[in-house]
Amino acid sequence: ARGWVALVGGGPGADGLLTARGHELLRSADVVVVDRLAPRDVVDRLPDSVVVIDVGKTPGHHPIPQERINEILVEQARLGRAVVRLKGGDPYVLGRGGEERLACEAAGVPVEVVPGVTSAVSVPAAAGIPVTHRGLARGFTVVTGHEELASVPAGGDHTLVLLMGVARLHETAALLVRHGRAADTPVAIVERGWTPGQRTTTGTLATIADRAALRGVESPAVIVVGEVVRLSPEWDAA
Amino acid sequence: ARGWVALVGGGPGADGLLTARGHELLRSADVVVVDRLAPRDVVDRLPDSVVVIDVGKTPGHHPIPQERINEILVEQARLGRAVVRLKGGDPYVLGRGGEERLACEAAGVPVEVVPGVTSAVSVPAAAGIPVTHRGLARGFTVVTGHEELASVPAGGDHTLVLLMGVARLHETAALLVRHGRAADTPVAIVERGWTPGQRTTTGTLATIADRAALRGVESPAVIVVGEVVRLSPEWDAA
């Protein structure tokens, strides 16, 4: 048999938010290469005959370099195996899916990309926050690096979704205010969205960093900045 | 039985890109309220016992106002029915999902929001374009209105996804150049993504409007602006 690779967006972690095509490909997989953020329930329910290769970063261990992950995909497919690369969220939203696709193509390995429910939109939704909403936001920006924060639209009516982790939150909030956002712009941090451990912390650009520190907020988390945060049942401006 | 409403993101149109939870809810639905952009194959395969209410805009017909759609959802649920509101893409990405959720909540109707695969990310993916890619783009912005174009990040390394239709493309491209984007920034327009009629037109901010006019490009289409467009197998700068 000729091997192949499918880069499957696993969604934010809830079992039900994997696509039908994703489930279908997993049923025919010989090998599943998983991330730290791939949906755990889905991985745990794979039959014993499926080889699971975990390339996620775990505390105290060095992450597997992307180049090595690319090699693993190609190697496994060349052994004639059906390989599903299961990722958290969507393969093309900070998922390195483009690199993996190019590596497969360069090696002549058939590769399919299956979009997933991106965490950038669905994790805010888990806390009742729509990234767009009539009268509140017509568009949204997703960023991962501090370098970009200076140039994002500054209006409270354009939603900002930060996937960069919470470690530099104090600096991030200050930078956004310095570049024109109102200090009272609502902010929400959603930890572990779509899992039983989901927790939402709200505040404003002025208060959120201190609140997050007080509650011990940690990654993985999605940060949402903008007026739409007021639609969350957990919004608390006080 | 007590009625309920589920706002289900149907994904970009391909059957396989609906989530498992979406399929599950459709199986228990008495009534399905569909959009013009809801996945047609899924709707066509519903059993005859399911009442399909089409609230999509069709040429020559006035669209049903959002307020009336909200009423329909509440009315049907109050009749004790299981109501699935099936949308294209994700309910919270320009899907008016927030308004529908609030209308249900205000009426005391149980409502669940099921995120979907957003067209903003998956339609570019259908043409081989990742909205983020190492070395090319760390983030992306999704906009629907011309008002926002002046304030979006101008670097070619920040992807811009336009969901505003193609009618004003000439004006849009000129506006982006006036606000700092290079005239040779790659652009792709993906029509009818994930359907057999999918077609991709590429060019630069300087050439795309003329090319689109020449080919008769029309809505629904997703426009992608940025260096990531070069990763499409259909990229053609000439």
Side-chain angles (χ1 to χ4, degrees):
Chain A
R2 188 161 179 221
W4 50 260
V5 171
L7 310 177
V8 174
D15 198 12
L17 295 182
L18 182 61
T19 59
R21 180 68 181 146
H23 277 293
E24 181 179 52
L25 287 164
L26 281 168
R27 280 193 296 272
S28 58
D30 301 312
V31 177
V32 178
V33 181
V34 300
D35 260 358
R36 190 173 53 99
L37 295 174
R40 274 294 134 190
D41 287 356
V42 173
V43 176
D44 291 346
R45 276 207 321 274
L46 292 169
D48 288 344
S49 57
V50 174
V51 177
V52 175
I53 302 178
D54 191 338
V55 296
K57 304 177 194 179
T58 51
H61 293 79
H62 287 289
I64 295 182
Q66 186 60 45
E67 291 66 27
R68 179 65 197 129
I69 296 173
N70 298 352
E71 284 171 8
I72 291 170
L73 297 177
V74 168
E75 284 167 11
Q76 293 293 324
R78 283 188 169 157
L79 292 169
R81 291 176 183 151
V83 182
V84 169
R85 170 79 171 107
L86 185 65
K87 298 166 166 299
D90 179 272
Y92 281 163
V93 178
L94 313 160
R96 313 290 289 261
E99 293 167 62
E100 294 174 1
R101 186 193 95 204
L102 294 175
C104 291
E105 287 173 354
V109 168
V111 58
E112 172 180 349
V113 179
V114 182
V117 171
T118 175
S119 301
V121 170
S122 63
V123 170
I129 303 169
V131 289
T132 71
H133 191 84
R134 188 160 63 144
L136 291 182
R138 267 186 309 252
F140 64 99
T141 294
V142 178
V143 297
T144 49
H146 273 260
E147 303 78 357
E148 289 175 288
L149 290 177
S151 63
V152 296
D157 61 349
H158 184 95
T159 305
L160 189 55
V161 178
L162 308 175
L163 300 179
M164 64 185 68
V166 293
R168 294 170 74 182
L169 187 54
H170 218 289
E171 190 185 342
T172 303
L175 204 149
L176 289 170
V177 171
R178 206 156 61 239
H179 285 281
R181 278 196 183 236
D184 63 355
T185 304
V187 183
I189 309 172
V190 186
E191 294 168 272
R192 299 177 296 279
W194 295 98
T195 74
Q198 180 178 317
R199 180 172 70 161
T200 304
T201 302
T202 65
T204 65
L205 282 176
T207 65
I208 193 68
D210 288 343
R211 285 193 185 191
L214 202 64
R215 297 185 79 181
V217 167
E218 53 189 33
S219 295
V222 174
I223 304 169
V224 195
V225 181
E227 292 301 321
V228 290
V229 168
R230 297 182 195 277
L231 296 175
S232 173
E234 297 171 86
W235 162 246
D236 172 17
Chain B
R2 187 162 182 220
W4 50 259
V5 171
L7 311 176
V8 173
D15 196 16
L17 295 183
L18 181 62
T19 59
R21 180 67 181 147
H23 276 293
E24 181 179 52
L25 287 163
L26 281 168
R27 280 193 296 274
S28 59
D30 300 312
V31 177
V32 178
V33 182
V34 299
D35 259 1
R36 190 173 53 99
L37 295 174
R40 274 293 133 187
D41 288 355
V42 173
V43 176
D44 292 344
R45 276 208 321 275
L46 292 169
D48 289 344
S49 58
V50 174
V51 177
V52 175
I53 302 177
D54 192 337
V55 296
K57 304 175 194 181
T58 51
H61 293 78
H62 286 292
I64 296 181
Q66 186 60 45
E67 291 66 27
R68 179 64 197 130
I69 297 174
N70 298 352
E71 284 170 9
I72 291 170
L73 298 176
V74 168
E75 283 167 13
Q76 293 293 324
R78 281 186 171 157
L79 292 169
R81 291 176 184 149
V83 182
V84 169
R85 170 78 171 108
L86 184 65
K87 297 167 166 297
D90 179 273
Y92 281 162
V93 178
L94 314 159
R96 314 289 288 259
E99 292 167 61
E100 295 174 0
R101 185 192 97 204
L102 294 175
C104 291
E105 287 174 352
V109 168
V111 58
E112 173 179 350
V113 179
V114 182
V117 171
T118 176
S119 301
V121 171
S122 63
V123 171
I129 303 169
V131 290
T132 71
H133 190 85
R134 189 163 60 146
L136 291 182
R138 266 186 311 252
F140 64 101
T141 293
V142 179
V143 297
T144 49
H146 274 259
E147 303 80 355
E148 289 174 288
L149 289 178
S151 62
V152 297
D157 61 346
H158 184 95
T159 305
L160 190 55
V161 179
L162 307 175
L163 300 179
M164 63 184 68
V166 293
R168 296 170 74 182
L169 187 55
H170 220 291
E171 189 184 346
T172 302
L175 204 149
L176 289 171
V177 171
R178 207 155 60 239
H179 284 283
R181 275 192 187 241
D184 64 354
T185 305
V187 183
I189 310 175
V190 186
E191 294 169 273
R192 299 178 296 276
W194 295 99
T195 74
Q198 179 177 318
R199 182 172 68 160
T200 304
T201 303
T202 64
T204 64
L205 282 176
T207 64
I208 193 69
D210 288 341
R211 286 193 183 191
L214 202 66
R215 299 185 78 183
V217 167
E218 51 188 33
S219 296
V222 174
I223 304 169
V224 195
V225 182
E227 293 301 321
V228 289
V229 168
R230 297 182 194 277
L231 296 175
S232 173
E234 297 171 87
W235 163 245
D236 172 17

